[in-house]
Amino acid sequence: AGAAVRNVGEFRPWAAEAVVTDDGAVTDAVGAALGALASESARVRESAVFALGSLVRYNDVGMELLLAREGAETLEKYYEKYASAAAEAMRRSKADSGENESPEKEAAEFKADLKIALRLLSLSTDVVTMGEECLADAAARIEELEGEGADASGQTARRIWCSKVIGVFSTEGWCSNFLVGPSPQTHRLTMSPAEQEKVLAGIISTGGACDRWHRVSGRQRDDDGELASQLTALGKRWERMDTGRSIDIEWLGDLMSMLYRAVEVVGGDYDGDSSDGEL
């Protein structure tokens, strides 16, 4: 199953649809998709994330089922797993590392890990965006109802629910594992601009929510400046790209705008020193 972010009308009832799993257990579509994340097949795992996106984006029924099953925590666990594996593969791929025993197998595993990590990040990005929109809508309705002297308790409950949705998708695992990718001149494995664009979108979208988590947890945004440094190094590489041949100049401009915003979100300064930005 799959759909664009707002193309959810036909998928709304599917979230609670009864599904019989391979072992004979009866669950709902959200539960089945969560269970499929444990599959040994990369293709099945990717399809499960895609299906979950269709079932929970802008769908209160699907989101309630996900929350009831502690699905956000499950997704966070898998995101940490695959993002960490991709990051470690990139680190090992440094040209002079001597850790290149099976490059083809390593590259295939890296691509599979990176793909599902980015799909999970895109899902969390959309959910946080959805939650922020939900909060704004609830706040506007509360103000309107209170101005009319009407009961706003329903919208107050709605605002609390929206905050909960944002909260479970802006915890440590989501906020501390953003992948940037090293330079292809120094590492065999890295990320394409299209993949890096998804990470920038994630940083920008979840920035406020992650900032709230950092304040509650007592940690600062990007404590040691590592993420800001990696982003700055990425921007410097993009500035040196051969526009027109390596990348479309208009797209590059859009990417740089996103990068400036992402650096700002994590509390960095793009004009600062980027010498330590590589993995």
Side-chain angles (χ1 to χ4, degrees):
V5 170
R6 290 186 179 275
N7 184 22
V8 294
E10 62 186 297
F11 295 103
R12 201 165 268 130
W14 289 6
E17 190 75 19
V19 174
V20 180
T21 61
D22 291 341
D23 59 5
V26 179
T27 184
D28 51 59
V30 170
L34 284 171
L37 288 170
S39 171
E40 294 183 1
S41 166
R43 184 174 181 179
V44 170
R45 294 194 300 266
E46 292 165 13
S47 296
V49 177
F50 198 64
L52 279 169
S54 299
L55 296 169
V56 305
R57 287 183 176 103
Y58 294 92
N59 182 357
D60 290 0
V61 173
M63 184 57 69
E64 284 284 9
L65 289 169
L66 186 74
L67 295 176
R69 295 179 176 279
E70 298 185 342
E73 291 83 351
T74 299
L75 294 174
E76 177 187 23
K77 177 186 71 175
Y78 281 112
Y79 175 65
E80 286 186 282
K81 174 182 177 179
Y82 292 109
S84 296
E88 177 60 18
M90 287 188 284
R91 186 200 65 77
R92 289 197 312 265
S93 75
K94 193 165 185 177
D96 58 356
S97 67
E99 299 181 49
N100 182 18
E101 296 181 1
S102 181
E104 292 182 359
K105 179 182 178 182
E106 182 185 43
E109 291 176 349
F110 163 69
K111 289 179 180 178
D113 290 340
L114 179 62
K115 187 173 184 179
I116 193 167
L118 292 178
R119 283 201 172 189
L120 287 165
L121 177 60
S122 293
L123 174 57
S124 71
T125 299
D126 289 342
V127 169
V128 171
T129 299
M130 176 185 74
E132 297 284 4
E133 292 175 1
C134 176
L135 271 181
D137 290 343
R141 285 290 295 143
I142 289 171
E143 183 178 1
E144 179 182 340
L145 290 169
E146 289 179 343
E148 297 171 352
D151 180 17
S153 58
Q155 289 301 317
T156 299
R158 174 77 174 166
R159 183 170 61 182
I160 293 171
W161 184 83
C162 299
S163 295
K164 180 179 180 180
V165 170
I166 295 170
V168 294
F169 279 92
S170 55
T171 48
E172 183 173 8
W174 297 111
C175 297
S176 303
N177 290 281
F178 291 113
L179 299 167
V180 177
S183 169
Q185 295 180 342
T186 58
H187 292 67
R188 289 177 291 102
L189 302 178
T190 188
M191 298 167 63
S192 69
E195 292 165 339
Q196 289 158 333
E197 182 179 24
K198 295 179 181 178
V199 176
L200 295 179
I203 294 172
I204 294 168
S205 176
T206 62
C210 285
D211 198 27
R212 286 192 288 274
W213 170 77
H214 284 123
R215 290 200 303 272
V216 170
S217 66
R219 292 180 54 181
Q220 299 296 316
R221 292 182 300 175
D222 193 19
D223 283 344
D224 56 5
E226 179 181 359
L227 180 56
S229 182
Q230 289 182 10
L231 289 170
T232 298
L234 174 62
K236 300 301 182 184
R237 293 200 302 271
W238 280 351
E239 288 176 350
R240 296 191 296 268
M241 290 185 73
D242 183 4
T243 56
R245 297 182 62 182
S246 300
I247 189 170
D248 178 77
I249 189 169
E250 291 186 6
W251 182 33
L252 178 60
D254 292 339
L255 288 175
M256 291 300 297
S257 294
M258 292 179 70
L259 187 138
Y260 297 148
R261 176 62 183 137
V263 172
E264 180 184 354
V265 164
V266 300
D269 177 4
Y270 182 74
D271 292 327
D273 179 19
S274 63
S275 58
D276 296 325
E278 297 295 354
L279 294 178

